Amino acid sequence: MAEDIQQKLEKYRTAPFDSRFPNQNQTKNCWQNYLDFYRCQKSLDAKGVDTAPCDWYKRVYKSLCPISWIENWDSQREDGTFPGKI
């Protein structure tokens, strides 16, 4: 399984189509992948497992989200004021 993920990450160019977000506006897709990345990291860290599979979500949100949003969310997480459930 880890090899499959590594192969997908190597071939990754931009965010693939996600049927949960069929519209042109990708704001929710950006937000969901940001949350999924940190949820994945938290979950796998708690189990003591390698968090490499979570990198997929990070690459997707980095390609979809404006940098200013990411910086804002990161600072909110550090301050403990992040509105999302991670």
Side-chain angles (χ1 to χ4, degrees), residues 11 31 52 81:
K11 294 178 184 178
W31 171 255
T81 60

Side-chain angles (χ1 to χ4, degrees), residues 24 77 83:
Q24 194 169 5
R77 279 189 316 103

Side-chain angles (χ1 to χ4, degrees), residues 26-76:
Q26 293 296 300
T27 304
K28 288 181 183 178
N29 193 355
C30 157
W31 171 255
Q32 189 61 51
N33 279 285
Y34 184 86
L35 290 177
D36 288 344
F37 172 69
Y38 287 102
R39 287 176 181 161
C40 178
Q41 271 200 324
K42 182 179 178 182
S43 172
L44 294 182
D45 277 341
K47 294 177 183 176
V49 181
D50 181 28
T51 60
C54 302
D55 290 342
W56 174 258
Y57 298 114
K58 184 175 186 175
R59 290 183 120 177
V60 172
Y61 86 71
K62 289 235 179 214
S63 71
L64 291 174
C65 303
I67 294 170
S68 61
W69 291 6
I70 296 170
E71 290 171 349
N72 187 29
W73 293 338
D74 287 343
S75 66
Q76 287 177 341

